Amino acid sequence: MSTLRDELEGLYAEYVDCLDGGELERWPEFFTDPCLYKIIPRDNFERGLPLAMMLCESKGMLQDRVEVLRGASVYAPRALRHLVSALRIDSQGPHVAETARSGPSGMIRVHANYAVFQTQVDEPTQVFNVGRYLDQIVREDGHLKFREKLCVFDSVLVPGSLIYPL
Amino acid sequence: MNAAWPSADHSRVPFWVYSDAEIYAREQARIFRGASWSYVGLGAEIPRPGDFKRSAVGDTPVVVVRDHEGAICVVVNRCAHRGVQFCQQPFGNAREFMCPYHQWTYNLKGDLIGVPFRRGLRKQGGMPEDFALDAHGLQRLAVRERHGVIFASFDAALPPLEAYLGPAMCEYFDRVFDGRALRVLGYMRQMIRSNWKLMFENIKDPYHASLLHVFLVTFGLFRADQPSAVRMDEHGRHAVLVSSKGEQQASDATAEMKAFLADFTLHDPTLLQPVREFSGTATVVMQTIWPNLIVQQQSNTLATRQLVTRGPEAFELVWTFFGYETDSDEMTRRRLRQANLMGPAGLVSVDDSEMMEFSQRGVRAAPEAAAVLELGGRDCADAPHMITEAAMRGFYKYYREVMGL
């Protein structure tokens, strides 16, 4: 029988596979509606400054992001590769996770490290963005979905442009 | 660099200005360490005595600090002893600055107040008798603050900021910085691998905005067929692009704009629900202030963008988003949502940061070639429309004066 950890690791594997595989149209499906998705520099996060570099508050805003980068933005081609590790499944007590497994109202907190590598034409692969996912996950119609996903990245200084979601 | 400027007027820009190391060194000396007021931060970032932040003027690192009397001081982040960059914290609060290497200590104005073992130890060693503390302070810059915005200069004889901006540019500056207390919402920073001037040119170039930026064009946020203007100060060094929001509807102009997508709609329109907050009809004013500041007012998203040079072929763009202390929570949320348009991940601005890097890749390989800036004629006059490159020509007119080119 698979554990909650197995199931969550499966979710993150699916999530990064969707992004790295360029299936961005499926990306909003990983979220509830409404939801909260933010890419936020650690400097802002730790100082309590509210500004995010990317902010989506609904599945519609996630879709808008995808449609703009598909049909409107102009940028050089690039490939991304996400590595996610050190999943810490929140530990407000095992009963929380059990509730999440069984009931629709339960919420699971997951903290994880991520690293995103970027490869552009005529360039060696670079470390593009490194940080932590601070996530809230709920079960909706039997599927685990992000109700909140914060990507808090370590270096405020972004090399070039951030085109794709993390 | 031995080449002469390729045109008598300012309709040509030789590509060597974007990659030549000698030109870059001359820019640092004549522009950034010369007769200019450089933006270094906002007063709201250092509200209390002792608050400081790291900043930069050109590629010189500085510290901006509020002293114990409440006055703002800007000092070079370099110990007078051995040149150590003594301040490593991006922000903080200090009673004094102490270089960690040999503990030379400075007050917040930059005066040297302590040197360990100055008198030696047990009558041995120490500084010479005639060593004077007051001859070894931190290098200080002249400082001006206008309505919460801090500028610094290596040239102590520079005219006041208001004269430097000139009446027309000062009026646009005061439109956003009207004296209300500012509230910093947060930062974004990006390293763009292009020459710094390409960033300034981008904000002086309304031609591209109606062509490149699908998002702006489609939603009528900035478009050639809307009431707009390009204005400059008398030297051509500062400029504004001004426009008024229109609707998402086709016109005779949209036929020339491949970027106009009549059917494109937002799934969640709350992203774009601007409210009018400034007097007049303009809904976007982008101001460039020589030599390192862009003031962004696009709908309700307000930011300063500071250019920090990092060699001829790279610069850092530091975005400081802000609102006003008097903003309602709803207005703050609106500003935070509209910030999606801007920054390193901006729905609009990624087009620009990408294009500047594309430009650099092109011009680097052909220093002897030149850009052609003839849209709207070859002069540097203000225009009541966007189909002009006059503000870029104005920029190079002044640039050539300062650089002796």
Side-chain angles (χ1 to χ4, degrees):
Chain A
M1 183 185 138
S2 72
T3 63
L4 179 64
R5 174 170 285 276
D6 291 337
E7 203 179 356
L8 286 166
E9 285 185 349
L11 171 70
Y12 282 84
E14 288 287 331
Y15 181 82
V16 302
D17 187 54
C18 166
L19 293 180
D20 293 345
E23 297 174 71
L24 291 169
E25 284 67 18
R26 283 205 298 125
W27 173 61
E29 297 308 317
F30 286 89
F31 293 82
T32 61
D33 193 16
C35 59
L36 184 64
Y37 176 80
K38 282 190 197 185
I39 299 177
I40 177 166
R42 192 179 57 166
D43 301 44
N44 290 352
F45 187 74
E46 289 181 351
R47 296 178 63 205
L49 296 169
L51 182 74
M53 220 166 72
M54 197 183 284
L55 166 65
C56 299
E57 298 162 310
S58 65
K59 200 180 262 191
M61 279 197 207
L62 297 167
Q63 290 170 319
D64 289 332
R65 263 284 163 187
V66 173
E67 290 183 14
V68 170
L69 77 88
R70 285 292 197 217
S73 299
V74 180
Y75 51 90
R78 66 202 64 211
L80 298 182
R81 185 78 51 210
H82 291 62
L83 303 184
V84 179
S85 71
L87 255 65
R88 202 189 82 195
I89 301 164
D90 199 327
S91 57
Q92 291 168 9
H95 60 281
V96 173
E98 282 308 310
T99 313
R101 278 176 70 85
S102 52
S105 60
M107 188 268 287
I108 312 161
R109 265 178 218 280
V110 176
H111 291 187
N113 290 346
Y114 72 83
V116 180
F117 299 86
Q118 177 169 275
T119 309
Q120 291 189 262
V121 178
D122 296 336
E123 301 273 354
T125 298
Q126 68 170 166
V127 179
F128 176 66
N129 194 282
V130 173
R132 280 201 304 165
Y133 286 140
L134 306 179
D135 298 341
Q136 294 182 14
I137 297 165
V138 295
R139 195 179 293 280
E140 199 178 79
D141 303 328
H143 298 284
L144 294 177
K145 305 237 171 183
F146 295 108
R147 186 171 78 183
E148 187 172 308
K149 187 171 192 63
L150 308 186
C151 315
V152 181
F153 63 98
D154 289 339
S155 173
V156 65
L157 190 54
V158 173
S161 316
L162 190 149
I163 309 290
Y164 297 108
L166 302 175
Chain B
M1 193 287 299
N2 294 312
W5 202 272
S7 60
D9 62 20
H10 311 291
S11 68
R12 294 291 181 277
V13 180
F15 289 161
W16 43 258
V17 300
Y18 301 112
S19 55
D20 187 273
E22 279 178 44
I23 288 289
Y24 180 77
R26 198 188 296 184
E27 289 172 347
Q28 292 299 317
R30 295 197 185 188
I31 298 174
F32 295 104
R33 292 195 300 274
S36 61
W37 284 114
S38 282
Y39 168 82
V40 291
L42 300 174
E45 298 177 271
I46 48 168
R48 294 164 304 150
D51 283 351
F52 67 84
K53 66 166 280 195
R54 281 160 53 107
S55 186
V57 174
D59 54 19
T60 307
V62 300
V63 181
V64 184
V65 58
R66 193 177 292 274
D67 71 16
H68 297 300
E69 288 78 51
I72 292 170
C73 303
V74 177
V75 293
V76 175
N77 190 356
R78 186 181 66 234
C79 180
H81 177 212
R82 297 273 297 280
V84 169
Q85 190 180 86
F86 58 88
C87 177
Q88 298 294 325
Q89 289 292 334
F91 291 90
N93 185 277
R95 292 187 53 78
E96 58 199 16
F97 292 121
M98 186 179 73
C99 176
Y101 203 179
H102 304 91
Q103 298 173 12
W104 283 32
T105 303
Y106 305 89
N107 67 20
L108 299 179
K109 298 179 198 303
D111 303 318
L112 181 62
I113 55 171
V115 173
F117 298 120
R118 185 176 163 208
R119 303 291 180 210
L121 181 64
R122 297 174 195 133
K123 301 194 191 313
Q124 292 183 302
M127 287 295 189
E129 281 297 317
D130 61 352
F131 180 84
L133 291 181
D134 58 12
H136 298 282
L138 298 172
Q139 189 177 2
R140 290 186 63 166
L141 283 74
V143 178
R144 289 289 184 282
E145 184 181 11
R146 184 171 176 83
H147 298 168
V149 187
I150 308 165
F151 294 85
S153 178
F154 282 95
D155 183 349
L158 207 58
L161 187 67
E162 293 70 20
Y164 176 79
L165 291 173
M169 291 299 117
C170 204
E171 201 172 302
Y172 281 109
F173 183 85
D174 288 353
R175 184 172 166 276
V176 168
F177 301 110
D178 58 6
R180 275 183 288 171
L182 304 177
R183 180 180 166 214
V184 174
L185 299 177
Y187 301 91
M188 303 185 197
R189 277 165 63 180
Q190 64 189 133
M191 184 72 84
I192 297 177
R193 289 176 302 173
S194 88
N195 185 270
W196 66 277
K197 296 187 290 299
L198 288 165
M199 179 74 253
F200 251 180
E201 290 178 28
N202 177 267
I203 305 295
K204 292 171 186 284
D205 163 25
Y207 187 24
H208 86 280
S210 279
L211 301 167
L212 172 67
H213 295 308
V214 174
F215 197 89
L216 288 187
V217 170
T218 299
F219 296 109
L221 295 173
F222 193 106
R223 212 168 74 196
D225 55 341
Q226 293 159 194
S228 32
V230 176
R231 298 186 67 192
M232 284 162 266
D233 74 320
E234 59 173 333
H235 303 283
R237 60 189 174 186
H238 320 301
V240 286
L241 305 187
V242 184
S243 185
S244 307
K245 186 182 185 310
E247 299 305 319
Q248 183 176 2
Q249 53 188 228
S251 73
D252 57 335
T254 55
E256 286 214 43
M257 294 181 221
K258 292 188 179 65
F260 179 75
L261 305 177
D263 301 331
F264 194 94
T265 53
L266 290 174
H267 294 278
D268 188 340
T270 56
L271 178 67
L272 271 189
Q273 280 169 342
V275 294
R276 181 172 294 282
E277 61 172 320
F278 300 104
S279 59
T281 55
T283 58
V284 47
V285 175
M286 301 295 291
Q287 185 170 32
T288 39
I289 297 177
W290 174 277
N292 77 333
L293 174 63
I294 296 160
V295 180
Q296 161 199 313
Q297 182 261 309
Q298 165 57 268
S299 306
N300 307 108
T301 175
L302 311 177
T304 59
R305 303 183 195 171
Q306 180 186 9
L307 280 73
V308 179
T309 53
R310 294 277 184 243
E313 300 205 77
F315 70 95
E316 199 182 308
L317 195 57
V318 183
W319 307 64
T320 304
F321 286 75
F322 62 89
Y324 304 100
E325 282 293 349
T326 50
D327 283 347
S328 65
D329 290 347
E330 188 191 1
M331 183 55 120
T332 299
R333 279 195 297 276
R334 184 179 289 118
R335 297 197 200 284
L336 293 171
R337 256 181 227 130
Q338 291 180 14
N340 273 305
L341 302 184
M342 299 298 180
L347 294 168
V348 175
S349 56
V350 294
D351 301 346
D352 293 321
S353 44
E354 286 291 290
M355 215 49 58
M356 286 182 267
E357 296 199 347
F358 294 6
S359 295
Q360 191 69 24
R361 288 174 212 163
V363 299
R364 171 191 299 146
E368 71 290 354
V372 179
L373 306 180
E374 297 195 13
L375 194 75
R378 298 189 184 91
D379 62 14
C380 307
D382 289 358
H385 59 79
M386 284 191 199
I387 314 299
T388 179
E389 289 164 333
M392 294 165 72
R393 290 189 291 271
F395 174 81
Y396 279 103
K397 171 171 161 279
Y398 187 68
Y399 177 85
R400 291 174 64 183
E401 283 170 35
V402 174
M403 291 286 287
L405 291 168

